[in-house]
Structures are given as C-alpha cells and as structure tokens.
Amino acid sequence: MKTHMMFQTVDWKNGCVVLIDQTQLPKRLVSVRCRRVDEVRDAIKKLKVRGAPAIGVAAAFGVLLAFRGVRTQKTQALLQQVKKASARLASARPTAVNLSWALERMGRLAQKNVNLSVSHFREALLNEALAIRDEDRSLCDAIGQHGAGLFKRGDRVLTHCNAGALATAGIGTALGVVYTAQDKGKNLSVYCPETRPLLQGARLSAWELVRRKIGATVICDSMVATVMKQGKIDRVIVGADRIAANGDVANKIGTYSIACLARIHKIPFYVAAPSSTFDFSISTGCQIPIEQRAPHEITQPFGQTTAPRGVQVFNPAFDVTPAKYITGIITDQGVVYPPYRSRLKKLLRSPCS
Ligand code: MRU
C-alpha cells in the first residue's frame, strides 16, 4: 500500500511557483504564489519553503520564472537568464546540497538544449523541473518502504526539526518512514523536540503528525536526555541536508547532541535521505558549509524579545553528526550500515549527478 500525500508543499501552477507558507503554520495553512525569481529566493531565505528536498524543487521551478516577460527569439539569451537565475537562487541557503544539485541539473539541461527553438527550450526546462518534483515524490516513497521495516510495533520514535511532507515534494524522508510504518500497522508514537529557534519540530512536524492522527508529543530541545533516560524512546530518525562521502551528516542544529545522547542511552539513531542529499565531492563533514542565520531569530523569535539588546549571538542553522554515531542511513536505494564510505558509494552509484 502506498502512503498518500495530504498536501502539495511546492508546485508549479499557471506559470507561478506555488508554496505552502510554512512561516504561517500551525496557525494558518496558506499558500504564496511567486512570479519572480527573487520572490522564490526570498521565500527560501525566509523559510517560507524549507527542508532540503523542497528547496531544491522550489529552485528548479524558480528558474522558469526567469523567462517571464522576456521577449526574444534567441535561445542563447534564455540560457543566460537561466544562468543568472541559478546564481541568485543558489546563494539563498548554503548547506542543503539539494539546492545546488537541482540548479546544476537545470543548468545542464539548458546547456544541452541550447540549439532548440525558444518554445521547445522553455518546454524542456519545464519538463525537467516537473521531473525533479516527481522524482522527489518517488524517492520519498522508496525511503519509506526501505525504512519502515526497521520499526517495531508500538515503537516510540524521536525525530528532530521537520523532515516530513513539508520538507519535500512527497511524503517526507524521516517522517515518510514513520508514515509508511504506520500504514503497515506499526502503531508508532513520535516525540518532536521543538527545534529552537524557529520551532520546525513544534510547529511543523507536530502539525503533520496530528493531521495524520499519529500520537505526537512536543518536548523542549533540552528534554531529550531526560526522555531517553526515562526509557521513553526506542529509535531516533532524522533527515539530512548534506551527507559527505564518509557518512557524516549535516542536519538541523541539535541533531549532533541527539546522536550523542542516543549513543549513551544505546538507542538506534537513523538518518533518512534521498540520493540528491549525498555530496560525494566532499570527503568528510568538516567541509560542509554551515549557514549562519540572523541574530534576531534568537533574540526576538516570533516578535518577542527574549534576550537583551547588544548581546552577542551565535546562530548556526545546522551541525554535523559524525558517521560513527549513525546506526544506519535509509536511502531510496536501501539501508546502508557502516563502514559508510565504501558502502554508500556502492549503493548510490552516481549521486548528485
Ligand atoms: O532550516 P530548515 O528548516 O530548512 O532545516 C531543515 C532540516 O534540517 C531538515 O531536517 C532537513 O532539511 C531534512 S528535510 C527532508
């Protein structure tokens, strides 16, 4: 049985990129329509659309907006627009490799089709963006099927941030596994650390789980050690923004501490990610660029002042979990166990290509 999608996080409709505005959840489920490249860039920067696979799909559609209002019969001129739009979109967020992966794929397709007429060139690019969206759906389904078998009936699962349908064009990665296992009758329940400072766990993962009628408990990030010590967690599953060739995983800040705590408490720690999240061009997690975000996200979250003016702030959006703390990586091709370097390469023959 295929796990059904409840909403479409990112899509292309009537010449616009349509996104669920995730900054409005859980209060309101509303969409925004982007008509210009910079509106998509801004939506990615402000986390209206977020989650590694979803920003890749949004950027692929965003490239198409570069053609709006352009009157030319020269395909070469459109190719230049594609290059310009890609550079703008790629600079929106640095850590999730899915963003540059999707843009490079659009760029390669554009270069290959530069001899087509303008209308055929535009059509080819639209088809490529739609394929990136559809493939992401299938990758999520495959991850769900591969991962579901790792869960036992009644398992109490801890996740982090949101690696659900809101973070992809499909059912999600980490939460996609939970949904698939649930559909197989596993009767899971999920702990969601709130994920400071922007609360993707409390606002987004909890919202998705409640909609699916799966038992969800929100905890503060600082409570993870306690719930583990109290024996309330059987398994951890998180998503990823970029995975290095040695299996080191960049994901939402706080993931690394959860992995350390899972090791201390002897709890299996799984990462779920599609092949578009692997970056074999880098050897270890040390080389993954970590996005630093604005201080006001910590000192004035959601408009409330929570720290004094003038205080210094450190606000990295992601951390890197060393491969040695990861029990297994659930991919669309199957589950990979250590040693990761050789096994990942073998399983995912040409990721990010
Ligand atoms: O800053 P965000 O909300 O984009 O961070 C998202 C995450 O860290 C997710 O866990 C990750 O992108 C995996 S999404 C399937």
Side-chain angles (χ1 to χ4, degrees), residues 22 44 47 49-55 93 96 98 140 160-164 166-168 172-174 195 198 200 204 238-242 250-253 255 272-274 277 291 293 317-318:
Q22 300 189 34
I44 294 173
L47 310 197
V49 59
R50 35 106 358 242
I55 63 176
R93 296 193 78 188
N98 307 61
C140 288
H160 189 52
C161 190
N162 172 267
L166 289 166
T168 68
T173 56
T195 316
L198 297 176
Q200 289 93 329
L204 308 178
V238 298
D241 284 80
R242 194 186 294 231
N251 192 49
K252 178 55 55 191
I253 190 76
T255 304
T277 302
E291 176 183 7
R293 293 194 57 91
F318 302 96

Side-chain angles (χ1 to χ4, degrees), residues 100-258:
S100 50
W101 170 85
L103 290 168
E104 280 163 22
R105 191 166 149 178
M106 293 294 282
R108 274 196 303 274
L109 199 277
Q111 195 71 57
K112 201 172 125 199
N113 287 303
V114 72
N115 293 325
L116 294 183
S117 67
V118 161
S119 61
H120 283 114
F121 180 80
R122 290 170 74 133
E123 195 184 321
L125 278 159
L126 171 59
N127 287 338
E128 188 70 356
L130 292 170
I132 289 172
R133 178 200 65 189
D134 294 346
E135 284 168 25
D136 189 55
R137 276 185 199 157
S138 309
L139 295 177
C140 288
D141 289 342
I143 290 169
Q145 293 298 335
H146 288 301
L150 300 169
F151 290 79
K152 295 199 169 46
R153 212 180 137 70
D155 266 355
R156 296 149 307 166
V157 180
L158 185 131
T159 189
H160 189 52
C161 190
N162 172 267
L166 289 166
T168 68
I171 57 169
T173 56
L175 287 185
V177 173
V178 169
Y179 302 152
T180 310
Q182 192 74 359
D183 284 351
K184 291 179 189 293
K186 298 272 170 104
N187 195 24
L188 306 179
S189 54
V190 183
Y191 280 82
C192 306
E194 55 182 357
T195 316
R196 293 257 306 144
L198 297 176
L199 307 186
Q200 289 93 329
R203 292 189 304 107
L204 308 178
S205 289
W207 180 81
E208 283 193 31
L209 289 158
V210 167
R211 273 174 77 99
R212 283 193 180 260
K213 300 191 171 29
I214 296 174
T217 305
V218 171
I219 56 172
C220 300
D221 298 339
S222 49
M223 295 171 188
V224 173
T226 294
V227 292
M228 286 185 173
K229 184 153 188 241
Q230 290 178 350
K232 291 188 161 88
I233 308 296
D234 300 300
R235 249 158 273 278
V236 177
I237 186 164
V238 298
D241 284 80
R242 194 186 294 231
I243 303 180
N246 71 340
D248 289 350
V249 168
N251 192 49
K252 178 55 55 191
I253 190 76
T255 304
Y256 174 35
S257 29
I258 293 173

